[in-house]
Amino acid sequence: MPDIIKGDAGVMDALAALCTQPNAIRHTEDSFGNGFHWYTLDRADEITGAAKILKDAGARLAIIAAYNRQGDANGLMHSACYEFVLKGVVYGVTVNMDAEHPSVPSITTIFANADWHEREMMELYGVNVTSHPNPRRLFLDEELDKGLLGDIVPLSIMMNGSTSNDLWERILSDRGGQS
């Protein structure tokens, strides 16, 4: 790894120990010199170990982004990338879910802000997040199938500001206007 790549060597080594597959680790930087470290875990259930490593080092969870793989050529159903920030360096930890490992454990007990991200994965993509302390839906009616939105609404439409605004208006009206 070039000297120019920044990051916590202990964290990088600990995360690397969870990644034994070829090409599971990448280190990059952007044009501003910001360091990025990308890890693809061997198994989805190892995300709790990775989250603990990062929490113990003082990292914060920035975002969890899920996507539907629709049973790609490698048999993957879903993937989720957890992005953590530690001293200005991004550590992206990806988990893949397939028929053998169809779910991912919740990290909400490690990072409380994972709550909404995980609930969104369950609701919009149909990802099974085990041991989540509050698995109720955020946006959609209970009558709709989990993951339905990810199958029928393209991401560009879902990310449209008016769509998001409509969802928030509905949530707020259901709560009597309270945020």
Side-chain angles (χ1 to χ4, degrees):
M1 177 171 60
D3 293 337
I4 201 165
I5 300 296
K6 300 169 185 70
D8 182 307
V11 168
M12 290 187 282
D13 289 344
L15 292 174
L18 301 174
C19 308
T20 62
Q21 301 301 316
N23 303 315
I25 303 169
R26 292 183 303 121
H27 305 282
T28 62
E29 69 174 13
D30 64 15
S31 60
F32 298 104
N34 297 309
F36 296 85
H37 305 286
W38 307 102
Y39 301 88
T40 301
L41 301 180
D42 292 346
R43 295 186 336 263
D45 61 354
E46 293 176 328
I47 188 60
T48 54
K52 287 176 185 172
I53 291 165
L54 288 151
K55 179 71 170 188
D56 291 346
R60 67 177 176 84
L61 174 65
I63 192 167
I64 304 171
Y67 49 100
N68 190 339
R69 304 291 294 258
Q70 300 280 340
D72 71 0
N74 297 320
L76 298 176
M77 299 172 356
H78 297 96
S79 292
C81 182
Y82 298 70
E83 292 188 15
F84 302 88
V85 179
L86 176 62
K87 298 178 184 170
V89 177
V90 175
Y91 297 82
V93 180
T94 299
V95 297
N96 295 313
M97 291 155 268
D98 56 20
E100 186 178 346
H101 301 102
S103 61
V104 62
S106 176
I107 63 166
T108 301
T109 58
I110 303 165
F111 288 95
N113 66 321
D115 177 53
W116 276 39
H117 297 287
E118 291 176 347
R119 288 169 61 192
E120 179 184 64
M121 286 193 310
M122 290 186 281
E123 181 174 337
L124 299 182
Y125 295 95
V127 172
N128 182 21
V129 179
T130 60
S131 303
H132 193 280
N134 183 17
R136 65 188 171 92
R137 290 197 172 183
L138 290 169
F139 305 111
L140 302 177
D141 290 334
E142 291 292 333
E143 294 84 36
L144 296 173
D145 292 337
K146 286 185 179 183
L148 178 68
L149 199 57
D151 292 338
I152 63 171
V153 179
L155 180 61
S156 60
I157 301 290
M158 193 181 321
M159 298 306 290
N160 178 307
S162 63
T163 303
S164 297
N165 191 42
D166 289 345
L167 289 171
W168 279 112
E169 286 175 2
R170 180 163 182 199
I171 290 167
L172 292 176
S173 70
D174 288 349
R175 293 182 179 174
Q178 300 173 358
S179 56

PDB file of all heavy atoms in Angstrom, residues 50-80:
ATOM      1  N   ALA A  50     -16.824  -6.289  12.251  1.00  0.00           N
ATOM      2  CA  ALA A  50     -16.238  -5.117  11.595  1.00  0.00           C
ATOM      3  C   ALA A  50     -16.726  -3.830  12.263  1.00  0.00           C
ATOM      4  O   ALA A  50     -15.939  -2.908  12.497  1.00  0.00           O
ATOM      5  CB  ALA A  50     -16.594  -5.115  10.112  1.00  0.00           C
ATOM      6  N   ALA A  51     -18.014  -3.771  12.590  1.00  0.00           N
ATOM      7  CA  ALA A  51     -18.568  -2.582  13.241  1.00  0.00           C
ATOM      8  C   ALA A  51     -17.931  -2.363  14.610  1.00  0.00           C
ATOM      9  O   ALA A  51     -17.629  -1.221  14.984  1.00  0.00           O
ATOM     10  CB  ALA A  51     -20.088  -2.708  13.368  1.00  0.00           C
ATOM     11  N   LYS A  52     -17.706  -3.433  15.352  1.00  0.00           N
ATOM     12  CA  LYS A  52     -17.062  -3.306  16.673  1.00  0.00           C
ATOM     13  C   LYS A  52     -15.628  -2.803  16.545  1.00  0.00           C
ATOM     14  O   LYS A  52     -15.182  -1.973  17.342  1.00  0.00           O
ATOM     15  CB  LYS A  52     -17.101  -4.645  17.412  1.00  0.00           C
ATOM     16  CG  LYS A  52     -18.486  -5.000  17.920  1.00  0.00           C
ATOM     17  CD  LYS A  52     -18.509  -6.379  18.563  1.00  0.00           C
ATOM     18  CE  LYS A  52     -19.932  -6.744  18.944  1.00  0.00           C
ATOM     19  NZ  LYS A  52     -20.050  -8.126  19.403  1.00  0.00           N
ATOM     20  N   ILE A  53     -14.910  -3.295  15.548  1.00  0.00           N
ATOM     21  CA  ILE A  53     -13.541  -2.829  15.311  1.00  0.00           C
ATOM     22  C   ILE A  53     -13.536  -1.317  15.090  1.00  0.00           C
ATOM     23  O   ILE A  53     -12.748  -0.576  15.681  1.00  0.00           O
ATOM     24  CB  ILE A  53     -12.913  -3.558  14.097  1.00  0.00           C
ATOM     25  CG1 ILE A  53     -12.654  -5.026  14.425  1.00  0.00           C
ATOM     26  CG2 ILE A  53     -11.648  -2.854  13.612  1.00  0.00           C
ATOM     27  CD1 ILE A  53     -12.375  -5.902  13.210  1.00  0.00           C
ATOM     28  N   LEU A  54     -14.440  -0.871  14.239  1.00  0.00           N
ATOM     29  CA  LEU A  54     -14.498   0.550  13.909  1.00  0.00           C
ATOM     30  C   LEU A  54     -15.006   1.391  15.077  1.00  0.00           C
ATOM     31  O   LEU A  54     -14.494   2.479  15.330  1.00  0.00           O
ATOM     32  CB  LEU A  54     -15.337   0.747  12.648  1.00  0.00           C
ATOM     33  CG  LEU A  54     -14.597   0.265  11.390  1.00  0.00           C
ATOM     34  CD1 LEU A  54     -15.541  -0.214  10.329  1.00  0.00           C
ATOM     35  CD2 LEU A  54     -13.675   1.363  10.887  1.00  0.00           C
ATOM     36  N   LYS A  55     -15.991   0.895  15.809  1.00  0.00           N
ATOM     37  CA  LYS A  55     -16.511   1.620  16.979  1.00  0.00           C
ATOM     38  C   LYS A  55     -15.413   1.777  18.033  1.00  0.00           C
ATOM     39  O   LYS A  55     -15.231   2.862  18.592  1.00  0.00           O
ATOM     40  CB  LYS A  55     -17.715   0.868  17.556  1.00  0.00           C
ATOM     41  CG  LYS A  55     -18.332   1.511  18.779  1.00  0.00           C
ATOM     42  CD  LYS A  55     -19.062   2.779  18.411  1.00  0.00           C
ATOM     43  CE  LYS A  55     -19.877   3.281  19.581  1.00  0.00           C
ATOM     44  NZ  LYS A  55     -20.727   4.386  19.222  1.00  0.00           N
ATOM     45  N   ASP A  56     -14.693   0.710  18.300  1.00  0.00           N
ATOM     46  CA  ASP A  56     -13.614   0.753  19.293  1.00  0.00           C
ATOM     47  C   ASP A  56     -12.517   1.742  18.905  1.00  0.00           C
ATOM     48  O   ASP A  56     -11.849   2.313  19.766  1.00  0.00           O
ATOM     49  CB  ASP A  56     -13.005  -0.635  19.505  1.00  0.00           C
ATOM     50  CG  ASP A  56     -13.959  -1.593  20.213  1.00  0.00           C
ATOM     51  OD1 ASP A  56     -14.969  -1.134  20.779  1.00  0.00           O
ATOM     52  OD2 ASP A  56     -13.682  -2.816  20.185  1.00  0.00           O
ATOM     53  N   ALA A  57     -12.346   1.955  17.601  1.00  0.00           N
ATOM     54  CA  ALA A  57     -11.333   2.895  17.123  1.00  0.00           C
ATOM     55  C   ALA A  57     -11.837   4.338  17.141  1.00  0.00           C
ATOM     56  O   ALA A  57     -11.068   5.265  16.921  1.00  0.00           O
ATOM     57  CB  ALA A  57     -10.892   2.511  15.711  1.00  0.00           C
ATOM     58  N   GLY A  58     -13.148   4.509  17.383  1.00  0.00           N
ATOM     59  CA  GLY A  58     -13.721   5.857  17.432  1.00  0.00           C
ATOM     60  C   GLY A  58     -14.367   6.323  16.145  1.00  0.00           C
ATOM     61  O   GLY A  58     -14.643   7.514  15.977  1.00  0.00           O
ATOM     62  N   ALA A  59     -14.637   5.404  15.222  1.00  0.00           N
ATOM     63  CA  ALA A  59     -15.271   5.766  13.950  1.00  0.00           C
ATOM     64  C   ALA A  59     -16.746   6.082  14.159  1.00  0.00           C
ATOM     65  O   ALA A  59     -17.340   5.706  15.169  1.00  0.00           O
ATOM     66  CB  ALA A  59     -15.124   4.619  12.942  1.00  0.00           C
ATOM     67  N   ARG A  60     -17.322   6.757  13.176  1.00  0.00           N
ATOM     68  CA  ARG A  60     -18.768   6.981  13.162  1.00  0.00           C
ATOM     69  C   ARG A  60     -19.336   6.333  11.907  1.00  0.00           C
ATOM     70  O   ARG A  60     -18.659   6.244  10.888  1.00  0.00           O
ATOM     71  CB  ARG A  60     -19.104   8.462  13.207  1.00  0.00           C
ATOM     72  CG  ARG A  60     -18.715   9.235  11.975  1.00  0.00           C
ATOM     73  CD  ARG A  60     -19.139  10.707  12.046  1.00  0.00           C
ATOM     74  NE  ARG A  60     -18.676  11.439  10.893  1.00  0.00           N
ATOM     75  CZ  ARG A  60     -19.308  11.490   9.715  1.00  0.00           C
ATOM     76  NH1 ARG A  60     -20.444  10.842   9.566  1.00  0.00           N
ATOM     77  NH2 ARG A  60     -18.808  12.173   8.712  1.00  0.00           N
ATOM     78  N   LEU A  61     -20.563   5.874  12.008  1.00  0.00           N
ATOM     79  CA  LEU A  61     -21.257   5.308  10.851  1.00  0.00           C
ATOM     80  C   LEU A  61     -21.853   6.459  10.058  1.00  0.00           C
ATOM     81  O   LEU A  61     -22.635   7.251  10.600  1.00  0.00           O
ATOM     82  CB  LEU A  61     -22.360   4.347  11.299  1.00  0.00           C
ATOM     83  CG  LEU A  61     -23.258   3.797  10.188  1.00  0.00           C
ATOM     84  CD1 LEU A  61     -22.466   2.922   9.223  1.00  0.00           C
ATOM     85  CD2 LEU A  61     -24.426   3.029  10.784  1.00  0.00           C
ATOM     86  N   ALA A  62     -21.478   6.588   8.796  1.00  0.00           N
ATOM     87  CA  ALA A  62     -21.982   7.668   7.956  1.00  0.00           C
ATOM     88  C   ALA A  62     -23.244   7.260   7.209  1.00  0.00           C
ATOM     89  O   ALA A  62     -24.217   8.015   7.166  1.00  0.00           O
ATOM     90  CB  ALA A  62     -20.908   8.115   6.964  1.00  0.00           C
ATOM     91  N   ILE A  63     -23.253   6.064   6.630  1.00  0.00           N
ATOM     92  CA  ILE A  63     -24.400   5.634   5.820  1.00  0.00           C
ATOM     93  C   ILE A  63     -24.325   4.128   5.584  1.00  0.00           C
ATOM     94  O   ILE A  63     -23.243   3.539   5.645  1.00  0.00           O
ATOM     95  CB  ILE A  63     -24.449   6.379   4.462  1.00  0.00           C
ATOM     96  CG1 ILE A  63     -25.780   6.152   3.751  1.00  0.00           C
ATOM     97  CG2 ILE A  63     -23.271   5.990   3.587  1.00  0.00           C
ATOM     98  CD1 ILE A  63     -26.019   7.089   2.592  1.00  0.00           C
ATOM     99  N   ILE A  64     -25.469   3.552   5.324  1.00  0.00           N
ATOM    100  CA  ILE A  64     -25.539   2.180   4.836  1.00  0.00           C
ATOM    101  C   ILE A  64     -26.341   2.244   3.541  1.00  0.00           C
ATOM    102  O   ILE A  64     -27.462   2.734   3.530  1.00  0.00           O
ATOM    103  CB  ILE A  64     -26.248   1.226   5.822  1.00  0.00           C
ATOM    104  CG1 ILE A  64     -25.582   1.250   7.195  1.00  0.00           C
ATOM    105  CG2 ILE A  64     -26.263  -0.193   5.253  1.00  0.00           C
ATOM    106  CD1 ILE A  64     -26.360   0.489   8.264  1.00  0.00           C
ATOM    107  N   ALA A  65     -25.768   1.781   2.460  1.00  0.00           N
ATOM    108  CA  ALA A  65     -26.440   1.790   1.167  1.00  0.00           C
ATOM    109  C   ALA A  65     -26.647   0.354   0.711  1.00  0.00           C
ATOM    110  O   ALA A  65     -25.683  -0.395   0.545  1.00  0.00           O
ATOM    111  CB  ALA A  65     -25.603   2.556   0.144  1.00  0.00           C
ATOM    112  N   ALA A  66     -27.896  -0.018   0.520  1.00  0.00           N
ATOM    113  CA  ALA A  66     -28.226  -1.371   0.059  1.00  0.00           C
ATOM    114  C   ALA A  66     -28.597  -1.327  -1.417  1.00  0.00           C
ATOM    115  O   ALA A  66     -29.051  -0.308  -1.921  1.00  0.00           O
ATOM    116  CB  ALA A  66     -29.393  -1.928   0.865  1.00  0.00           C
ATOM    117  N   TYR A  67     -28.403  -2.450  -2.067  1.00  0.00           N
ATOM    118  CA  TYR A  67     -28.880  -2.563  -3.432  1.00  0.00           C
ATOM    119  C   TYR A  67     -29.249  -4.005  -3.726  1.00  0.00           C
ATOM    120  O   TYR A  67     -28.713  -4.938  -3.155  1.00  0.00           O
ATOM    121  CB  TYR A  67     -27.881  -1.999  -4.452  1.00  0.00           C
ATOM    122  CG  TYR A  67     -26.457  -2.451  -4.323  1.00  0.00           C
ATOM    123  CD1 TYR A  67     -25.951  -3.448  -5.138  1.00  0.00           C
ATOM    124  CD2 TYR A  67     -25.601  -1.849  -3.399  1.00  0.00           C
ATOM    125  CE1 TYR A  67     -24.635  -3.853  -5.028  1.00  0.00           C
ATOM    126  CE2 TYR A  67     -24.276  -2.246  -3.290  1.00  0.00           C
ATOM    127  CZ  TYR A  67     -23.803  -3.248  -4.110  1.00  0.00           C
ATOM    128  OH  TYR A  67     -22.494  -3.644  -4.005  1.00  0.00           O
ATOM    129  N   ASN A  68     -30.207  -4.134  -4.611  1.00  0.00           N
ATOM    130  CA  ASN A  68     -30.749  -5.429  -4.981  1.00  0.00           C
ATOM    131  C   ASN A  68     -29.940  -5.984  -6.139  1.00  0.00           C
ATOM    132  O   ASN A  68     -29.823  -5.346  -7.176  1.00  0.00           O
ATOM    133  CB  ASN A  68     -32.225  -5.259  -5.382  1.00  0.00           C
ATOM    134  CG  ASN A  68     -32.929  -6.574  -5.558  1.00  0.00           C
ATOM    135  OD1 ASN A  68     -32.307  -7.600  -5.769  1.00  0.00           O
ATOM    136  ND2 ASN A  68     -34.235  -6.537  -5.484  1.00  0.00           N
ATOM    137  N   ARG A  69     -29.377  -7.167  -5.958  1.00  0.00           N
ATOM    138  CA  ARG A  69     -28.564  -7.789  -7.005  1.00  0.00           C
ATOM    139  C   ARG A  69     -29.406  -8.667  -7.918  1.00  0.00           C
ATOM    140  O   ARG A  69     -28.910  -9.158  -8.920  1.00  0.00           O
ATOM    141  CB  ARG A  69     -27.450  -8.623  -6.366  1.00  0.00           C
ATOM    142  CG  ARG A  69     -26.540  -7.880  -5.407  1.00  0.00           C
ATOM    143  CD  ARG A  69     -25.643  -6.879  -6.094  1.00  0.00           C
ATOM    144  NE  ARG A  69     -24.686  -7.481  -6.964  1.00  0.00           N
ATOM    145  CZ  ARG A  69     -23.404  -7.669  -6.674  1.00  0.00           C
ATOM    146  NH1 ARG A  69     -22.931  -7.294  -5.526  1.00  0.00           N
ATOM    147  NH2 ARG A  69     -22.604  -8.226  -7.540  1.00  0.00           N
ATOM    148  N   GLN A  70     -30.658  -8.925  -7.562  1.00  0.00           N
ATOM    149  CA  GLN A  70     -31.587  -9.711  -8.385  1.00  0.00           C
ATOM    150  C   GLN A  70     -31.019 -11.069  -8.783  1.00  0.00           C
ATOM    151  O   GLN A  70     -31.254 -11.550  -9.877  1.00  0.00           O
ATOM    152  CB  GLN A  70     -31.967  -8.929  -9.648  1.00  0.00           C
ATOM    153  CG  GLN A  70     -32.648  -7.618  -9.398  1.00  0.00           C
ATOM    154  CD  GLN A  70     -34.121  -7.761  -9.083  1.00  0.00           C
ATOM    155  OE1 GLN A  70     -34.734  -8.761  -9.395  1.00  0.00           O
ATOM    156  NE2 GLN A  70     -34.670  -6.756  -8.453  1.00  0.00           N
ATOM    157  N   GLY A  71     -30.259 -11.703  -7.894  1.00  0.00           N
ATOM    158  CA  GLY A  71     -29.691 -13.014  -8.215  1.00  0.00           C
ATOM    159  C   GLY A  71     -28.741 -12.933  -9.383  1.00  0.00           C
ATOM    160  O   GLY A  71     -28.949 -13.559 -10.413  1.00  0.00           O
ATOM    161  N   ASP A  72     -27.691 -12.120  -9.261  1.00  0.00           N
ATOM    162  CA  ASP A  72     -26.747 -11.926 -10.362  1.00  0.00           C
ATOM    163  C   ASP A  72     -26.022 -13.226 -10.706  1.00  0.00           C
ATOM    164  O   ASP A  72     -26.298 -14.278 -10.144  1.00  0.00           O
ATOM    165  CB  ASP A  72     -25.773 -10.789 -10.041  1.00  0.00           C
ATOM    166  CG  ASP A  72     -24.761 -11.119  -8.955  1.00  0.00           C
ATOM    167  OD1 ASP A  72     -24.775 -12.245  -8.421  1.00  0.00           O
ATOM    168  OD2 ASP A  72     -23.942 -10.241  -8.648  1.00  0.00           O
ATOM    169  N   ALA A  73     -25.078 -13.130 -11.605  1.00  0.00           N
ATOM    170  CA  ALA A  73     -24.372 -14.314 -12.098  1.00  0.00           C
ATOM    171  C   ALA A  73     -23.672 -15.090 -10.979  1.00  0.00           C
ATOM    172  O   ALA A  73     -23.449 -16.291 -11.095  1.00  0.00           O
ATOM    173  CB  ALA A  73     -23.358 -13.912 -13.165  1.00  0.00           C
ATOM    174  N   ASN A  74     -23.323 -14.402  -9.892  1.00  0.00           N
ATOM    175  CA  ASN A  74     -22.673 -15.065  -8.759  1.00  0.00           C
ATOM    176  C   ASN A  74     -23.678 -15.543  -7.718  1.00  0.00           C
ATOM    177  O   ASN A  74     -23.272 -15.996  -6.643  1.00  0.00           O
ATOM    178  CB  ASN A  74     -21.663 -14.116  -8.104  1.00  0.00           C
ATOM    179  CG  ASN A  74     -20.549 -13.747  -9.046  1.00  0.00           C
ATOM    180  OD1 ASN A  74     -20.058 -14.580  -9.796  1.00  0.00           O
ATOM    181  ND2 ASN A  74     -20.163 -12.487  -9.041  1.00  0.00           N
ATOM    182  N   GLY A  75     -24.972 -15.416  -7.991  1.00  0.00           N
ATOM    183  CA  GLY A  75     -25.999 -15.876  -7.069  1.00  0.00           C
ATOM    184  C   GLY A  75     -26.290 -14.907  -5.927  1.00  0.00           C
ATOM    185  O   GLY A  75     -26.940 -15.276  -4.956  1.00  0.00           O
ATOM    186  N   LEU A  76     -25.809 -13.679  -6.046  1.00  0.00           N
ATOM    187  CA  LEU A  76     -26.050 -12.694  -4.984  1.00  0.00           C
ATOM    188  C   LEU A  76     -27.457 -12.122  -5.084  1.00  0.00           C
ATOM    189  O   LEU A  76     -27.945 -11.832  -6.167  1.00  0.00           O
ATOM    190  CB  LEU A  76     -25.027 -11.558  -5.056  1.00  0.00           C
ATOM    191  CG  LEU A  76     -23.573 -11.980  -4.864  1.00  0.00           C
ATOM    192  CD1 LEU A  76     -22.661 -10.780  -5.047  1.00  0.00           C
ATOM    193  CD2 LEU A  76     -23.371 -12.603  -3.505  1.00  0.00           C
ATOM    194  N   MET A  77     -28.104 -11.980  -3.925  1.00  0.00           N
ATOM    195  CA  MET A  77     -29.449 -11.416  -3.885  1.00  0.00           C
ATOM    196  C   MET A  77     -29.400  -9.925  -3.554  1.00  0.00           C
ATOM    197  O   MET A  77     -30.081  -9.121  -4.176  1.00  0.00           O
ATOM    198  CB  MET A  77     -30.297 -12.162  -2.857  1.00  0.00           C
ATOM    199  CG  MET A  77     -30.448 -13.629  -3.203  1.00  0.00           C
ATOM    200  SD  MET A  77     -31.236 -14.711  -1.957  1.00  0.00           S
ATOM    201  CE  MET A  77     -31.546 -13.755  -0.552  1.00  0.00           C
ATOM    202  N   HIS A  78     -28.637  -9.574  -2.531  1.00  0.00           N
ATOM    203  CA  HIS A  78     -28.502  -8.194  -2.087  1.00  0.00           C
ATOM    204  C   HIS A  78     -27.064  -7.941  -1.661  1.00  0.00           C
ATOM    205  O   HIS A  78     -26.348  -8.862  -1.292  1.00  0.00           O
ATOM    206  CB  HIS A  78     -29.387  -7.900  -0.876  1.00  0.00           C
ATOM    207  CG  HIS A  78     -30.835  -8.044  -1.133  1.00  0.00           C
ATOM    208  ND1 HIS A  78     -31.536  -9.195  -0.844  1.00  0.00           N
ATOM    209  CD2 HIS A  78     -31.737  -7.192  -1.659  1.00  0.00           C
ATOM    210  CE1 HIS A  78     -32.799  -9.041  -1.172  1.00  0.00           C
ATOM    211  NE2 HIS A  78     -32.950  -7.840  -1.671  1.00  0.00           N
ATOM    212  N   SER A  79     -26.703  -6.666  -1.668  1.00  0.00           N
ATOM    213  CA  SER A  79     -25.440  -6.225  -1.090  1.00  0.00           C
ATOM    214  C   SER A  79     -25.723  -4.969  -0.297  1.00  0.00           C
ATOM    215  O   SER A  79     -26.680  -4.252  -0.574  1.00  0.00           O
ATOM    216  CB  SER A  79     -24.402  -5.921  -2.172  1.00  0.00           C
ATOM    217  OG  SER A  79     -24.000  -7.098  -2.822  1.00  0.00           O
ATOM    218  N   ALA A  80     -24.896  -4.716   0.687  1.00  0.00           N
ATOM    219  CA  ALA A  80     -25.008  -3.485   1.466  1.00  0.00           C
ATOM    220  C   ALA A  80     -23.606  -2.995   1.760  1.00  0.00           C
ATOM    221  O   ALA A  80     -22.731  -3.771   2.131  1.00  0.00           O
ATOM    222  CB  ALA A  80     -25.770  -3.735   2.765  1.00  0.00           C
TER     223      ALA A  80
END
